[in-house]
Amino acid sequence: MAPPAQAPHALRLTRRQTLLTLSATLAGTGSLLTACARLPAQAQANPHAGIAREPAHLTLDNPGLYRLVNRLSWGASDAELNLAYQIGPGAYIAQQTADATPAALPPAAQSQIDGLTITQKPLITILGDLEDMRQADDKQPYQKELTRLAREAASRHVLRALYSPQQLREHMVWFWFNHFNVHQHKHNIRAMLGDYEDQALRPHALGRFRDILGAVAHHPAMLRYLDNDQNAANHINENYARELLELHTLSVDGGYTQRDVQELARVLTGHGVRHTDKIPKLRREWAGLYVHDGAYEFNPARHDFDDKALLGLTIKRRGAGELDEVLDKLATHPATARFVCGKIARFMLSDQPPDTLVKRMSATFISTQGHIGETLKTLLYAPEFTQAEPGKFKDPMHYVLSAVRAAYDDKVILNTQPVLNWLNRLGEGLYNRQTPDGYPQTEDAWSSSGQMTIRFDIARAIGNNHGGLFKTDDGSRAEQAGFPQLARASYYQFTRAMLRADTRQALDNTASPQDWNTLYLSAPEFMYR
Amino acid sequence: MQRRRFLSMASLAGAGMAVSPWSSRVLAATNDTTSPRFLLVFLRGGYDALSLLVPSTSSFYQEVRPHIALPLATGDKPGAMPLAEQWALHPAVEAPLRNLLQARQLSFIPFAGTDDTSRSHFETQDSIELGQALNGQRDFQSGFLNRLASVLPGQSAMSFTDQLPTIFRGPVDIANTSLKGKINKGLDKPMQSALAGMYAHHPLGAKVREGFDVRQEVSMEMADEMEAASRNAVSANGFDQEARRMAKLMRDRYALGFVDVGGWDTHVGQGQVDGYLATHLGQLASGLAGFADEMGPEAWRRTTVLVISEFGRTTRENGNKGTDHGHGSVYWALGGGLAGKTVAGEQTTIEAKTLFQNRDLPVLNEYRAVMAGLLRRQYGLSPSALDKVFSGVKPVDIGLI
């Protein structure tokens, strides 16, 4: 076993070096093939003693390290493998789970994001600008602008997922979006998506569950999507109340009743959306209870000012704070811990994660007051996390992103539209899930015959040429980008050994590199992580 | 209907004839133009059945829906069109389906649904698609259309969806392809065979080969549509286009089909004679009319289409001129071989005292019993075959066909 210090930059390969290294590896001189990565000493200290204690010596062989990176991130790119290899799996996990400030992307990607309206303007300004368009006779510019803003959010989401050094955070941002799903084509939610991701989800993606739950419950996108902006005293709308219990926290068998739903709906009255800075005229005793933050509003005139009783709590009437009390209760409920941890384990590891592992995660979740990063550590340090079997079938999001990352590594794409189109074709378009349950994450939902055929089309688009990824929509910028070189050193070092004989044979019998790429990205092994 | 042929098939299935998912489907899919056809349309979101089938004699209905109750059509004022004793039909549905109504090829089954009272979309959709007893252990890998396919060997099934839905999950391999929008041609033959080699010994192998076959079938069937499009002929779009494509494939190849249509969860501003729901219902109805038309009279005689949804909505409108999750729904049946009942099944009046939990339509026609009754007529299934589809359910024949 060679510690990583003796094999620095093992994978830092330029394209020119590729051929050279490749032949060296083939000639059997690649000592890296047997190298193991090891946890550096400084990563062993645990700031949360007694919680998710890291194993003192986490060592992984090459397939194990590949699986760690491939499962934790949006897919193993050379850059990501290289990083994990250099610092070792323990430090890699510690770095990825750290709840640090969201980091900048590589300049070529960050500059694309910096130019977006959703980066430059806060939501309330965007909504103000839209309000003028909305009142115009011709509604088309208004609709076009909404669509453009949603496209900006989608584009940013894809760039971050592909290139952020904080892969686990971006991975979890998608998870949380799907958990707290909203659908873009309702009302003006298209304008709110960027803010929803940036303010409600991303800052808390590795933080505390209570924080993300609260941020979502006070975000106009969710309040609008589940009709809570319409929920008022004597005009009760149960939609958000029900999904908050069923889908966001306790889960359907979490032990709540129809009565709890109705009571929670009353707690939720008055929490809504206001597009402008104009504040409604209120009776004097209500004026101090009014809240307006961004486009979120709590309007006491719409709130049900009677006591409520739900989930064993008696909620004293007092306005906006009633909801916080209920969310405190829900976020720490054992049914929530079980539900959320099971869902994370199914998302990251397997359709049927080991029950003992989910229990360990739930224990961490409860003892850390719902700390997501710590809960993830319990999962990522578990020996089960890097075992080969059973493996997790990629849903379309994982399939498409991992294919682009494998094919182009850290060469930043100029156009995210092909990626978004592929996701739509595969039925898992960003922000396109109409129902609040989010997209399913199990193999049987995504492995049908029709699905496989479309994946092969996409593999061909990526493998044969650049699939339109390296030219802008208006053609103003285009980069010379031929087809990718997937048969490179990382293939020989990490993945070839993990292929079945049928796959190897098909690859070996393929003369053209384009067809080789298409087959590699279509192989059964590439469908799993 | 060739009842005898299906009896013999059903008994083969009952005898446990092994179904090889690969060979049986492909052989059957090439040329089957004689067996009965069954299409299930699932309206996801719980559509507001009381805006479709209007209780025309219920003053209660008008009272509790002050903003959204449909008025009856009078003179030149549009409104619900009289359909049967105590019922009228939404005009957006009546217009495109008038011919089928006059031919008595369209029936409605009010008070239909499931005994699941969770009022959760997902819970109820799952339980309906699984079609298993509500109080027992659930097998999430066994949808009832898959079980139906297993007792119809030699016939092939297709899910016209991007993903394979729960209703088709199970041991019989079911093809799927969405027919929305543009149809793609796919990989060339050498690449297909290289891929088939890669997957030769993999559990996904059968699906991969099936995918190639379906792609070929679809592009063959759609060849005339593509040619028409290339001549700039006006073509259908949206659900109309999708439904016509489904009809082509079902007419020539597929005996059993499924499609889902979303967008029915109308909590806010659902509209009335016009508006969101009216538009949505109208598109659905015109698609269904297109389906019947494209099947052609000969195949349509052997075809039954059933339209269902996970639940109905609250009888009373909510505070936002919409409706919330309810219970009993109205199912639709269409087909060239229907017996001609415009409204079928158990019924009651709609007033405060007949409501379920003082809010929703009651369920008087439990979906498994009704479907078992329908499938028995449609396919001539034996009791043991029926029991495989809906275990322990006593079929109820409400005289649809």
Side-chain angles (χ1 to χ4, degrees), chain A residues 297-335:
Chain A
E297 169 189 79
F298 175 76
N299 185 348
R302 294 171 61 79
H303 186 66
D304 180 333
F305 276 99
D306 274 320
D307 291 352
K308 292 102 186 165
L310 69 152
L311 305 163
L313 297 173
T314 303
I315 308 287
K316 287 285 168 209
R317 52 182 163 181
R318 62 183 185 283
E322 296 167 26
L323 177 58
D324 297 326
E325 191 181 342
V326 178
L327 296 182
D328 285 344
K329 170 86 177 180
L330 289 171
T332 53
H333 199 289

Side-chain angles (χ1 to χ4, degrees), chain A residues 48-374:
Chain A
H48 303 269
I51 318 162
R53 187 183 296 279
E54 291 98 291
H57 298 283
L58 179 58
T59 54
L60 295 169
D61 58 7
N62 276 2
L65 187 72
Y66 179 86
R67 281 191 288 269
L68 171 68
V69 171
N70 202 35
R71 288 173 182 171
L72 179 154
S73 70
W74 276 119
S77 61
D78 284 12
E80 198 73 18
L81 281 167
N82 185 48
L83 170 74
Y85 198 94
Q86 278 187 65
I87 65 176
Y92 179 65
I93 292 171
Q95 181 218 63
Q96 289 290 314
T97 50
D99 188 15
T101 331
L105 269 49
Q110 189 63 44
S111 64
Q112 294 183 44
I113 290 175
D114 290 345
L116 301 174
T117 307
I118 56 168
T119 308
Q120 295 171 350
K121 290 184 183 177
L123 175 59
I124 191 74
T125 311
I126 290 176
L127 291 174
D129 295 350
L130 279 165
E131 193 57 24
D132 298 336
M133 302 172 83
R134 193 179 68 84
Q135 286 174 4
D137 287 337
D138 181 3
K139 300 280 183 244
Q140 241 182 345
Y142 172 67
Q143 290 296 333
K144 272 179 109 165
E145 179 62 5
L146 284 177
T147 301
R148 194 188 69 80
L149 290 165
R151 163 77 201 277
E152 280 197 359
S155 204
R156 187 179 67 183
H157 191 114
V158 167
L159 288 169
R160 284 172 173 169
L162 288 173
Y163 306 114
S164 170
Q166 295 170 324
Q167 278 292 297
L168 184 60
R169 175 182 297 278
E170 302 306 334
H171 206 173
M172 290 304 289
V173 168
W174 190 91
F175 172 86
W176 290 122
F177 192 103
N178 201 49
H179 182 79
F180 296 107
N181 186 49
V182 302
H183 182 230
Q184 62 172 332
H185 289 301
K186 181 161 183 169
H187 202 297
N188 62 348
I189 287 176
R190 277 168 287 172
M192 300 176 174
L193 297 166
D195 192 74
Y196 184 55
E197 286 188 338
D198 245 27
Q199 301 301 320
L201 306 178
R202 198 161 177 251
H204 310 295
L206 299 174
R208 281 187 205 285
F209 181 73
R210 173 65 182 84
D211 293 338
I212 200 167
L213 184 68
V216 167
H218 295 87
H219 198 280
M222 179 58 77
L223 294 169
R224 173 142 286 161
Y225 171 59
L226 288 178
D227 301 320
N228 207 65
D229 57 341
Q230 311 278 330
N231 183 25
N234 302 318
H235 292 274
I236 291 294
N237 190 310
E238 292 173 5
N239 202 13
Y240 182 34
R242 182 182 305 281
E243 310 305 9
L244 180 50
L245 298 176
E246 177 183 332
L247 298 173
H248 299 168
T249 56
L250 302 177
S251 85
V252 72
D253 47 8
Y256 61 90
T257 62
Q258 172 63 27
R259 166 110 191 137
D260 291 328
V261 172
Q262 287 165 338
E263 292 291 289
L264 179 52
R266 292 176 52 227
V267 169
L268 283 164
T269 49
H271 293 270
V273 181
R274 179 167 295 266
H275 289 171
T276 62
D277 287 328
K278 258 191 236 148
I279 285 168
K281 279 210 177 79
L282 292 168
R283 279 164 37 189
R284 191 173 307 153
E285 70 265 32
W286 283 343
L289 298 175
Y290 181 82
V291 184
H292 189 209
D293 182 10
Y296 161 80
E297 169 189 79
F298 175 76
N299 185 348
R302 294 171 61 79
H303 186 66
D304 180 333
F305 276 99
D306 274 320
D307 291 352
K308 292 102 186 165
L310 69 152
L311 305 163
L313 297 173
T314 303
I315 308 287
K316 287 285 168 209
R317 52 182 163 181
R318 62 183 185 283
E322 296 167 26
L323 177 58
D324 297 326
E325 191 181 342
V326 178
L327 296 182
D328 285 344
K329 170 86 177 180
L330 289 171
T332 53
H333 199 289
T336 301
R338 212 165 34 235
F339 175 56
V340 171
C341 292
K343 196 165 169 180
I344 291 174
R346 282 193 300 280
F347 176 73
M348 297 290 288
L349 178 59
S350 159
D351 288 0
Q352 271 132 10
D355 207 31
T356 50
L357 179 54
V358 176
K359 284 208 175 96
R360 267 144 56 208
M361 290 169 68
S362 300
T364 306
F365 187 93
I366 287 168
S367 69
T368 59
Q369 291 82 48
H371 197 284
I372 298 152
E374 291 301 320

Side-chain angles (χ1 to χ4, degrees), chain A residues 237 246 448 450 457 502 522, chain B residues 120 176 199 201 207 215 267 320:
Chain A
N237 190 310
E246 177 183 332
S448 63
D457 291 347
D502 286 343
S522 303
Chain B
S120 149
N176 76 302
Y199 280 89
H201 304 99
K207 285 181 180 169
R215 203 39 102 67
H267 287 278
N320 315 130

Side-chain angles (χ1 to χ4, degrees), chain A residues 227 230-231 235-239 242-243 246-247 252 258 262 393 424-428 433-437 442-454 456-457 460 500 502-503 506-507 515 518-520 522-524 527-528, chain B residues 44 118-123 125 140-141 161-164 169 174-177 184-188 191 194-195 197-204 206-208 210-212 214-215 262-265 267-268 276 318-320 324-325 359:
Chain A
D227 301 320
Q230 311 278 330
N231 183 25
H235 292 274
I236 291 294
N237 190 310
E238 292 173 5
N239 202 13
R242 182 182 305 281
E243 310 305 9
E246 177 183 332
L247 298 173
V252 72
Q258 172 63 27
Q262 287 165 338
F393 190 79
N424 284 332
R425 268 194 77 196
L426 289 168
E428 202 181 18
R433 177 71 171 183
Q434 204 166 13
T435 49
D437 54 344
T442 48
E443 170 164 358
D444 48 22
W446 301 111
S447 67
S448 63
S449 57
Q451 194 51 221
M452 297 304 291
T453 331
I454 302 173
F456 301 152
D457 291 347
R460 182 180 51 179
R500 295 147 56 260
D502 286 343
T503 300
L507 290 172
D515 286 353
T518 304
L519 289 176
Y520 181 79
S522 303
M527 298 296 160
Y528 293 84
Chain B
R44 294 196 191 273
S118 67
R119 292 195 181 86
S120 149
H121 294 296
F122 323 105
E123 179 80 5
Q125 287 177 18
F140 278 87
Q141 299 310 316
T161 52
D162 276 323
Q163 292 93 48
L164 195 68
R169 280 191 202 160
I174 307 289
N176 76 302
T177 188
N184 273 57
K185 270 200 82 175
L187 297 174
D188 61 22
M191 285 297 273
L195 271 167
M198 270 185 165
Y199 280 89
H201 304 99
H202 192 274
L204 291 173
K207 285 181 180 169
V208 167
E210 179 180 75
F212 293 144
V214 168
R215 203 39 102 67
W264 304 99
D265 196 14
H267 287 278
V268 176
Y276 175 83
N318 65 15
N320 315 130
D324 293 325
H325 302 182
R359 69 181 255 160

Side-chain angles (χ1 to χ4, degrees), chain B residues 128-338:
Chain B
I128 289 180
E129 292 181 62
L130 296 173
Q132 301 164 20
L134 288 173
N135 46 12
Q137 183 80 31
R138 285 196 199 166
D139 178 359
F140 278 87
Q141 299 310 316
S142 177
F144 82 80
L145 281 189
N146 195 285
R147 299 196 297 275
L148 176 61
S150 79
V151 299
L152 302 171
Q155 299 176 49
S156 48
M158 170 69 95
S159 187
F160 300 105
T161 52
D162 276 323
Q163 292 93 48
L164 195 68
T166 302
I167 202 164
F168 260 136
R169 280 191 202 160
V172 180
D173 196 25
I174 307 289
N176 76 302
T177 188
S178 166
L179 297 177
K180 286 181 189 144
K182 188 167 163 256
I183 307 278
N184 273 57
K185 270 200 82 175
L187 297 174
D188 61 22
K189 286 280 171 204
M191 285 297 273
Q192 285 191 16
S193 78
L195 271 167
M198 270 185 165
Y199 280 89
H201 304 99
H202 192 274
L204 291 173
K207 285 181 180 169
V208 167
R209 292 185 296 261
E210 179 180 75
F212 293 144
D213 286 345
V214 168
R215 203 39 102 67
Q216 196 178 351
E217 287 164 14
V218 169
S219 59
M220 274 163 61
E221 288 286 347
M222 302 311 149
D224 55 339
E225 183 194 303
M226 287 172 192
E227 198 195 296
S230 71
R231 285 183 280 108
N232 293 323
V234 177
S235 62
N237 52 35
F239 185 64
D240 206 17
Q241 178 189 56
E242 194 183 350
R244 283 180 179 275
R245 288 171 170 176
M246 288 192 295
K248 279 184 190 162
L249 281 173
M250 287 195 71
R251 184 185 61 207
D252 298 342
R253 296 168 194 273
Y254 293 97
L256 181 58
F258 174 86
V259 70
D260 49 16
V261 183
W264 304 99
D265 196 14
T266 52
H267 287 278
V268 176
Q270 64 183 54
Q272 192 202 35
V273 174
D274 303 307
Y276 175 83
L277 183 58
T279 307
H280 220 49
L281 281 170
Q283 285 165 352
L284 174 72
S286 92
L288 292 169
F291 182 88
D293 179 56
E294 198 72 47
M295 285 298 270
E298 204 276 318
W300 183 241
R301 267 194 292 281
R302 292 177 281 108
T303 301
T304 304
V305 177
L306 193 65
V307 181
I308 70 172
S309 192
E310 66 264 34
F311 44 60
R313 307 186 71 83
T314 46
T315 312
R316 298 178 181 87
E317 69 179 50
N318 65 15
N320 315 130
K321 299 178 187 166
T323 42
D324 293 325
H325 302 182
H327 189 48
S329 180
V330 175
Y331 291 176
W332 329 11
L334 305 88
L338 293 198

